[in-house]
Amino acid sequence: MVKAEAVHKSFGRLEVLSGIDLEVQPKEVMCVIGPSGSGKSTFLRCINHLEKIDAGRLSVDGELVGYRQRGDKLYELPDREVCQKRSEIGMVFQHFNLFPHMTALENLIEAPIRVKKASRSTAVAYARALLERVGLADKTNVYPNQLSGGQQQRVAIARALAMNPKLMLFDEPTSALDPELVGEVLDVMRRLAADGMTMIVVTHEMGFAREVGDTLVFMDGGVIVESGKPREVLANPRQERTRSFLSKVL
Amino acid sequence: MTEIAAGSPAPAPQAGRRPEAIKAIPVRHPWRWLSAVLVLAVAADAVYTLVTAPNMHWGVVGTFLFQRLIREGILLTLELTVLAMAIGIILGVILAVMRLSTNPVVSWLSWFYIWFFRGTPVLVQIFFWFNLALVLPHIGVGIPGGPLLFGVSTNVLITPLMAAVFGLGFNEAAYMAEIVRAGIISVEHGQTEAAQALGMTRLQVMQRIVLPQAMKVILPPTGNETISMLKTTSLAFVATVPELFTRAQQIASFNFYVIELLVVISIWYLVMTSILTIGQYYLERYFARGVQRELPMTPLQRFRRMLFTFRAPQAPLT
């Protein structure tokens, strides 16, 4: 589903990604952990072209992100095609980023109507079903700031799902939540994984990674230090760097 | 809850029971009352002096307040304000979006427009449009350096009214562009990212996500600009547009009641700006939805509260 080969990315002189190689299979749940500044969020943002990579190859579903290859030349994709590609990838942010001037339902139907040109009635029906699925059927007409953090994040997940994405990216989805609200969001994600969604989750929730993740990736300094089955990596890290990180967070 | 008499000692909270709501004697503000009396006294004196001025003909004010020429002037002033602000707002939004465009040509064009129209006096601009026929007798489409394919006389196209509307509107657009730009920048970048991640195009993001949220920053100064515009329309005087100020001048040139007529139009300007102020308030309330948990009080609610408590209004909960 996602394939990265020697992906590099710099902001000015600061190199944030120094050669990332990984592959995510369909229906796989990959959890990415690592200290802040290790490049894990940046990598996630590169996948749906919110950031442009400087070197290497990054592809989703066999198609390069942001470029088209013809012969041995790369052509930048025009905006419209970048948007089309993004619409197939759902993203959930640390700070939810719900649209505050729209109700929960309006947040969900906006993109299906504008981007996918779905009819309003279809979009509304699907949005209601999704809100029910995340346990917020009663919050349809409520504005985001009347919801708790956990509820907002569940609406944000539903908003991403409303586009029927083939891949979901989660950027520290529970980091901005009160501890007692983390569980409800993880529950939604757990069910999503069980339904067979391909997911890349940047997280600090080791319990979730161990239980739900198929693969665990530990990043530091813009490279992948270690990856493998979550249980093995968490129990027996092979690298010294992984060991010292885990000893601090577990 | 049982009522207790004011001033009687409040009973100590008992375990398991909700204690009575606190009823304390509010802090007294003697200086507020004193300053209010002082201000009223000075104001009363000023009004008295003006009302009893020996050469002030209040009867004239009354006669001309609803006179036909004045009424027509009011309509024209409103028309000028609406047209100029319409041009200003529409063009201003376009210029602001252009200014933030990734296309350097478009962005630079917007910068140049703002530089030019903000950098020359609006009076000069109105005069410019009014006198354009002096250098360009015909306006139309043609081949540069060749014949005019289609054109009309400049004096037909740019009437005095249009000269004033163009002058005021194009100048206003430059200011509105900066106001709108400030509003756009004030919207958190995460909003744009979330919308982009959903596959929305730049234009959709701007239209549906960013601009509606920018409104709460854009509106107050826009109301300000509208009120300012209402009064600036008096500059249309130089383009011989018979709006309110021009009418007052014309009438005064016949009957020499200069101050009286200025009082008449000042009353009307105040009435109009007051109405605009109220309209602005309700518009701001509308765009505050989803931002504040409780909508701010309406002026009427606030006035009642002020009358009955004479305290500083409390900030609404956010």
Side-chain angles (χ1 to χ4, degrees), chain A residues 205-250:
Chain A
E205 296 294 329
M206 301 303 162
F208 177 84
R210 181 185 300 128
E211 192 192 324
V212 183
D214 298 307
T215 325
L216 183 67
V217 170
F218 173 66
M219 276 180 72
D220 190 23
V223 293
I224 292 176
V225 176
E226 188 166 351
S227 67
K229 294 261 170 241
R231 271 168 216 286
E232 287 164 23
V233 176
L234 290 173
N236 296 310
R238 277 163 293 160
Q239 302 292 329
E240 176 52 39
R241 183 69 194 90
T242 319
R243 213 168 294 147
S244 78
F245 175 76
L246 289 176
S247 71
K248 281 174 201 140
V249 295
L250 282 180

Short mmCIF file of all heavy atoms in Angstrom, two decimals, chain A residues 205-250:
data_model
loop_
_atom_site.label_atom_id
_atom_site.label_comp_id
_atom_site.label_asym_id
_atom_site.label_seq_id
_atom_site.Cartn_x
_atom_site.Cartn_y
_atom_site.Cartn_z
N GLU A 205 1.22 5.62 22.50
CA GLU A 205 0.46 4.63 23.23
C GLU A 205 1.04 3.24 22.97
O GLU A 205 0.68 2.56 22.02
CB GLU A 205 -1.02 4.66 22.81
CG GLU A 205 -1.73 5.94 23.13
CD GLU A 205 -1.87 6.17 24.63
OE1 GLU A 205 -1.98 5.17 25.37
OE2 GLU A 205 -1.84 7.33 25.05
N MET A 206 1.95 2.82 23.83
CA MET A 206 2.64 1.53 23.61
C MET A 206 1.66 0.37 23.72
O MET A 206 1.80 -0.64 23.03
CB MET A 206 3.77 1.35 24.63
CG MET A 206 4.81 2.44 24.54
SD MET A 206 5.54 2.59 22.91
CE MET A 206 6.24 4.21 23.01
N GLY A 207 0.67 0.53 24.60
CA GLY A 207 -0.32 -0.54 24.77
C GLY A 207 -1.07 -0.80 23.47
O GLY A 207 -1.25 -1.93 23.04
N PHE A 208 -1.48 0.30 22.84
CA PHE A 208 -2.20 0.20 21.57
C PHE A 208 -1.30 -0.44 20.52
O PHE A 208 -1.72 -1.34 19.77
CB PHE A 208 -2.63 1.59 21.12
CG PHE A 208 -3.33 1.62 19.79
CD1 PHE A 208 -4.69 1.35 19.69
CD2 PHE A 208 -2.63 1.90 18.62
CE1 PHE A 208 -5.33 1.38 18.46
CE2 PHE A 208 -3.27 1.92 17.39
CZ PHE A 208 -4.62 1.66 17.31
N ALA A 209 -0.04 0.01 20.48
CA ALA A 209 0.91 -0.51 19.49
C ALA A 209 1.08 -2.02 19.66
O ALA A 209 1.08 -2.78 18.70
CB ALA A 209 2.24 0.20 19.62
N ARG A 210 1.19 -2.45 20.89
CA ARG A 210 1.43 -3.86 21.17
C ARG A 210 0.22 -4.70 20.78
O ARG A 210 0.35 -5.76 20.18
CB ARG A 210 1.74 -4.05 22.66
CG ARG A 210 2.04 -5.51 23.02
CD ARG A 210 2.23 -5.70 24.51
NE ARG A 210 3.34 -4.90 25.01
CZ ARG A 210 3.24 -4.06 26.05
NH1 ARG A 210 2.09 -3.90 26.66
NH2 ARG A 210 4.29 -3.38 26.47
N GLU A 211 -0.94 -4.15 21.09
CA GLU A 211 -2.17 -4.94 20.96
C GLU A 211 -2.72 -4.91 19.53
O GLU A 211 -3.16 -5.94 19.02
CB GLU A 211 -3.19 -4.31 21.91
CG GLU A 211 -4.42 -5.12 22.15
CD GLU A 211 -5.45 -4.25 22.85
OE1 GLU A 211 -5.04 -3.41 23.70
OE2 GLU A 211 -6.62 -4.39 22.52
N VAL A 212 -2.69 -3.76 18.90
CA VAL A 212 -3.35 -3.60 17.60
C VAL A 212 -2.36 -3.62 16.44
O VAL A 212 -2.69 -4.06 15.34
CB VAL A 212 -4.17 -2.28 17.57
CG1 VAL A 212 -4.91 -2.13 16.26
CG2 VAL A 212 -5.11 -2.22 18.75
N GLY A 213 -1.13 -3.15 16.68
CA GLY A 213 -0.20 -2.99 15.59
C GLY A 213 0.29 -4.32 15.02
O GLY A 213 0.50 -5.29 15.75
N ASP A 214 0.46 -4.36 13.68
CA ASP A 214 1.09 -5.52 13.06
C ASP A 214 2.60 -5.33 13.01
O ASP A 214 3.36 -6.27 13.09
CB ASP A 214 0.57 -5.70 11.62
CG ASP A 214 -0.92 -5.95 11.60
OD1 ASP A 214 -1.38 -6.86 12.29
OD2 ASP A 214 -1.64 -5.19 10.91
N THR A 215 2.99 -4.06 12.87
CA THR A 215 4.40 -3.72 12.81
C THR A 215 4.65 -2.54 13.72
O THR A 215 3.78 -1.67 13.85
CB THR A 215 4.81 -3.29 11.37
OG1 THR A 215 4.07 -4.04 10.45
CG2 THR A 215 6.29 -3.45 11.15
N LEU A 216 5.81 -2.49 14.30
CA LEU A 216 6.19 -1.34 15.11
C LEU A 216 7.50 -0.80 14.53
O LEU A 216 8.42 -1.56 14.24
CB LEU A 216 6.39 -1.73 16.57
CG LEU A 216 6.72 -0.58 17.51
CD1 LEU A 216 5.54 0.36 17.66
CD2 LEU A 216 7.14 -1.09 18.88
N VAL A 217 7.52 0.50 14.33
CA VAL A 217 8.71 1.13 13.78
C VAL A 217 9.21 2.14 14.80
O VAL A 217 8.44 2.96 15.29
CB VAL A 217 8.37 1.85 12.45
CG1 VAL A 217 9.53 2.71 11.99
CG2 VAL A 217 8.02 0.83 11.37
N PHE A 218 10.48 2.06 15.12
CA PHE A 218 11.07 3.05 16.02
C PHE A 218 11.96 3.98 15.22
O PHE A 218 12.90 3.54 14.56
CB PHE A 218 11.87 2.36 17.14
CG PHE A 218 12.63 3.36 18.00
CD1 PHE A 218 11.96 4.27 18.79
CD2 PHE A 218 14.03 3.37 17.99
CE1 PHE A 218 12.65 5.20 19.56
CE2 PHE A 218 14.73 4.28 18.76
CZ PHE A 218 14.04 5.19 19.55
N MET A 219 11.62 5.27 15.24
CA MET A 219 12.39 6.25 14.47
C MET A 219 13.16 7.15 15.42
O MET A 219 12.68 7.49 16.50
CB MET A 219 11.46 7.14 13.63
CG MET A 219 11.09 6.54 12.30
SD MET A 219 9.99 7.64 11.37
CE MET A 219 11.13 8.93 10.91
N ASP A 220 14.35 7.56 14.97
CA ASP A 220 15.12 8.54 15.73
C ASP A 220 16.08 9.22 14.77
O ASP A 220 16.69 8.56 13.93
CB ASP A 220 15.88 7.88 16.87
CG ASP A 220 16.48 8.93 17.81
OD1 ASP A 220 15.96 10.06 17.84
OD2 ASP A 220 17.46 8.60 18.50
N GLY A 221 16.20 10.53 14.89
CA GLY A 221 17.13 11.28 14.05
C GLY A 221 16.88 11.12 12.57
O GLY A 221 17.81 11.14 11.77
N GLY A 222 15.63 10.96 12.19
CA GLY A 222 15.29 10.92 10.77
C GLY A 222 15.55 9.59 10.09
O GLY A 222 15.50 9.49 8.88
N VAL A 223 15.85 8.56 10.87
CA VAL A 223 16.01 7.23 10.28
C VAL A 223 15.22 6.20 11.11
O VAL A 223 14.85 6.46 12.24
CB VAL A 223 17.50 6.77 10.24
CG1 VAL A 223 18.29 7.63 9.29
CG2 VAL A 223 18.10 6.77 11.63
N ILE A 224 14.96 5.06 10.46
CA ILE A 224 14.31 3.98 11.19
C ILE A 224 15.40 3.20 11.91
O ILE A 224 16.30 2.64 11.27
CB ILE A 224 13.52 3.08 10.23
CG1 ILE A 224 12.34 3.87 9.66
CG2 ILE A 224 13.04 1.82 10.95
CD1 ILE A 224 11.53 3.13 8.63
N VAL A 225 15.32 3.20 13.23
CA VAL A 225 16.35 2.52 14.00
C VAL A 225 16.05 1.03 14.06
O VAL A 225 16.94 0.19 13.96
CB VAL A 225 16.42 3.10 15.43
CG1 VAL A 225 17.41 2.34 16.29
CG2 VAL A 225 16.77 4.58 15.38
N GLU A 226 14.78 0.72 14.22
CA GLU A 226 14.41 -0.67 14.41
C GLU A 226 12.95 -0.87 14.03
O GLU A 226 12.12 0.02 14.24
CB GLU A 226 14.62 -1.04 15.88
CG GLU A 226 14.45 -2.51 16.18
CD GLU A 226 15.01 -2.85 17.56
OE1 GLU A 226 15.65 -2.00 18.18
OE2 GLU A 226 14.77 -3.99 17.99
N SER A 227 12.64 -2.02 13.48
CA SER A 227 11.23 -2.31 13.23
C SER A 227 11.01 -3.81 13.32
O SER A 227 11.94 -4.60 13.21
CB SER A 227 10.80 -1.80 11.85
OG SER A 227 11.44 -2.52 10.84
N GLY A 228 9.78 -4.18 13.56
CA GLY A 228 9.48 -5.60 13.68
C GLY A 228 8.11 -5.79 14.30
O GLY A 228 7.31 -4.86 14.37
N LYS A 229 7.84 -7.01 14.77
CA LYS A 229 6.58 -7.28 15.47
C LYS A 229 6.59 -6.47 16.76
O LYS A 229 7.59 -6.46 17.48
CB LYS A 229 6.49 -8.77 15.80
CG LYS A 229 6.38 -9.65 14.59
CD LYS A 229 4.94 -10.05 14.34
CE LYS A 229 4.78 -10.72 12.99
NZ LYS A 229 3.88 -10.00 12.09
N PRO A 230 5.49 -5.79 17.04
CA PRO A 230 5.45 -4.93 18.23
C PRO A 230 5.90 -5.63 19.51
O PRO A 230 6.69 -5.09 20.27
CB PRO A 230 3.98 -4.52 18.31
CG PRO A 230 3.47 -4.63 16.93
CD PRO A 230 4.25 -5.72 16.27
N ARG A 231 5.39 -6.84 19.73
CA ARG A 231 5.73 -7.54 20.97
C ARG A 231 7.24 -7.76 21.09
O ARG A 231 7.83 -7.56 22.15
CB ARG A 231 5.03 -8.90 21.02
CG ARG A 231 3.67 -8.81 21.65
CD ARG A 231 2.86 -10.07 21.43
NE ARG A 231 1.45 -9.73 21.25
CZ ARG A 231 0.64 -9.35 22.22
NH1 ARG A 231 1.09 -9.27 23.46
NH2 ARG A 231 -0.61 -9.05 21.99
N GLU A 232 7.84 -8.15 19.95
CA GLU A 232 9.28 -8.43 19.99
C GLU A 232 10.08 -7.16 20.21
O GLU A 232 11.00 -7.13 21.02
CB GLU A 232 9.70 -9.11 18.68
CG GLU A 232 9.23 -10.55 18.61
CD GLU A 232 9.30 -11.11 17.20
OE1 GLU A 232 10.08 -10.58 16.39
OE2 GLU A 232 8.55 -12.06 16.93
N VAL A 233 9.71 -6.11 19.47
CA VAL A 233 10.48 -4.87 19.60
C VAL A 233 10.33 -4.31 21.02
O VAL A 233 11.31 -3.86 21.63
CB VAL A 233 10.01 -3.81 18.57
CG1 VAL A 233 10.74 -2.49 18.77
CG2 VAL A 233 10.22 -4.33 17.16
N LEU A 234 9.12 -4.36 21.55
CA LEU A 234 8.90 -3.79 22.87
C LEU A 234 9.55 -4.63 23.97
O LEU A 234 10.09 -4.09 24.93
CB LEU A 234 7.40 -3.64 23.15
CG LEU A 234 6.69 -2.56 22.32
CD1 LEU A 234 5.19 -2.60 22.54
CD2 LEU A 234 7.23 -1.17 22.66
N ALA A 235 9.52 -5.96 23.79
CA ALA A 235 10.09 -6.83 24.83
C ALA A 235 11.60 -6.97 24.70
O ALA A 235 12.33 -6.90 25.69
CB ALA A 235 9.42 -8.20 24.77
N ASN A 236 12.08 -7.17 23.48
CA ASN A 236 13.51 -7.38 23.26
C ASN A 236 14.09 -6.46 22.21
O ASN A 236 14.40 -6.90 21.10
CB ASN A 236 13.78 -8.83 22.80
CG ASN A 236 13.41 -9.82 23.84
OD1 ASN A 236 13.82 -9.68 24.98
ND2 ASN A 236 12.61 -10.81 23.43
N PRO A 237 14.21 -5.18 22.50
CA PRO A 237 14.79 -4.30 21.48
C PRO A 237 16.23 -4.70 21.20
O PRO A 237 16.99 -5.01 22.12
CB PRO A 237 14.70 -2.91 22.12
CG PRO A 237 14.49 -3.14 23.57
CD PRO A 237 13.85 -4.47 23.73
N ARG A 238 16.56 -4.71 19.88
CA ARG A 238 17.91 -5.12 19.52
C ARG A 238 18.90 -3.96 19.60
O ARG A 238 20.06 -4.14 19.86
CB ARG A 238 17.91 -5.69 18.09
CG ARG A 238 17.50 -7.15 18.02
CD ARG A 238 17.12 -7.51 16.60
NE ARG A 238 15.89 -6.81 16.20
CZ ARG A 238 15.53 -6.61 14.94
NH1 ARG A 238 16.30 -7.03 13.96
NH2 ARG A 238 14.41 -6.00 14.66
N GLN A 239 18.38 -2.74 19.35
CA GLN A 239 19.27 -1.60 19.32
C GLN A 239 19.34 -0.92 20.69
O GLN A 239 18.33 -0.80 21.38
CB GLN A 239 18.80 -0.57 18.28
CG GLN A 239 18.68 -1.12 16.88
CD GLN A 239 20.03 -1.47 16.28
OE1 GLN A 239 21.04 -0.83 16.59
NE2 GLN A 239 20.06 -2.51 15.44
N GLU A 240 20.50 -0.43 21.00
CA GLU A 240 20.71 0.25 22.27
C GLU A 240 19.81 1.50 22.38
O GLU A 240 19.21 1.78 23.41
CB GLU A 240 22.19 0.65 22.39
CG GLU A 240 22.54 1.46 23.63
CD GLU A 240 22.06 0.79 24.92
OE1 GLU A 240 22.16 -0.45 25.00
OE2 GLU A 240 21.57 1.50 25.83
N ARG A 241 19.70 2.23 21.23
CA ARG A 241 18.91 3.47 21.21
C ARG A 241 17.43 3.16 21.53
O ARG A 241 16.77 3.89 22.28
CB ARG A 241 19.04 4.13 19.82
CG ARG A 241 18.32 5.44 19.68
CD ARG A 241 18.97 6.55 20.50
NE ARG A 241 18.07 7.71 20.58
CZ ARG A 241 17.17 7.89 21.53
NH1 ARG A 241 17.01 6.99 22.48
NH2 ARG A 241 16.41 8.97 21.56
N THR A 242 16.92 2.09 20.93
CA THR A 242 15.54 1.69 21.19
C THR A 242 15.36 1.36 22.67
O THR A 242 14.37 1.75 23.30
CB THR A 242 15.18 0.46 20.35
OG1 THR A 242 15.72 0.60 19.05
CG2 THR A 242 13.68 0.29 20.25
N ARG A 243 16.32 0.63 23.18
CA ARG A 243 16.25 0.18 24.57
C ARG A 243 16.17 1.38 25.51
O ARG A 243 15.33 1.44 26.40
CB ARG A 243 17.49 -0.66 24.89
CG ARG A 243 17.23 -1.78 25.88
CD ARG A 243 18.42 -2.72 25.92
NE ARG A 243 18.62 -3.44 24.67
CZ ARG A 243 19.81 -3.80 24.18
NH1 ARG A 243 20.92 -3.49 24.84
NH2 ARG A 243 19.89 -4.46 23.06
N SER A 244 17.02 2.39 25.26
CA SER A 244 17.03 3.53 26.18
C SER A 244 15.75 4.35 26.04
O SER A 244 15.22 4.86 27.02
CB SER A 244 18.27 4.40 25.96
OG SER A 244 18.10 5.22 24.84
N PHE A 245 15.20 4.43 24.80
CA PHE A 245 13.93 5.17 24.62
C PHE A 245 12.80 4.45 25.35
O PHE A 245 12.04 5.06 26.10
CB PHE A 245 13.60 5.29 23.13
CG PHE A 245 12.25 5.92 22.85
CD1 PHE A 245 12.06 7.29 22.98
CD2 PHE A 245 11.17 5.13 22.48
CE1 PHE A 245 10.82 7.86 22.74
CE2 PHE A 245 9.93 5.71 22.24
CZ PHE A 245 9.76 7.07 22.36
N LEU A 246 12.73 3.15 25.15
CA LEU A 246 11.64 2.39 25.76
C LEU A 246 11.72 2.40 27.28
O LEU A 246 10.70 2.44 27.97
CB LEU A 246 11.64 0.95 25.23
CG LEU A 246 11.19 0.80 23.76
CD1 LEU A 246 11.33 -0.64 23.30
CD2 LEU A 246 9.77 1.29 23.58
N SER A 247 12.95 2.39 27.78
CA SER A 247 13.08 2.37 29.24
C SER A 247 12.52 3.66 29.84
O SER A 247 12.12 3.69 31.00
CB SER A 247 14.55 2.20 29.62
OG SER A 247 15.26 3.39 29.32
N LYS A 248 12.49 4.73 29.04
CA LYS A 248 11.98 6.00 29.57
C LYS A 248 10.48 6.11 29.45
O LYS A 248 9.84 6.82 30.22
CB LYS A 248 12.64 7.17 28.83
CG LYS A 248 14.04 7.45 29.32
CD LYS A 248 14.72 8.51 28.48
CE LYS A 248 16.22 8.42 28.62
NZ LYS A 248 16.89 8.64 27.33
N VAL A 249 9.90 5.47 28.42
CA VAL A 249 8.46 5.66 28.21
C VAL A 249 7.61 4.52 28.76
O VAL A 249 6.42 4.69 28.97
CB VAL A 249 8.12 5.86 26.71
CG1 VAL A 249 8.75 7.14 26.20
CG2 VAL A 249 8.54 4.67 25.88
N LEU A 250 8.20 3.37 29.00
CA LEU A 250 7.37 2.24 29.44
C LEU A 250 7.19 2.25 30.96
O LEU A 250 8.05 2.70 31.69
CB LEU A 250 7.99 0.91 28.99
CG LEU A 250 7.75 0.58 27.51
CD1 LEU A 250 8.40 -0.75 27.16
CD2 LEU A 250 6.27 0.54 27.18
#
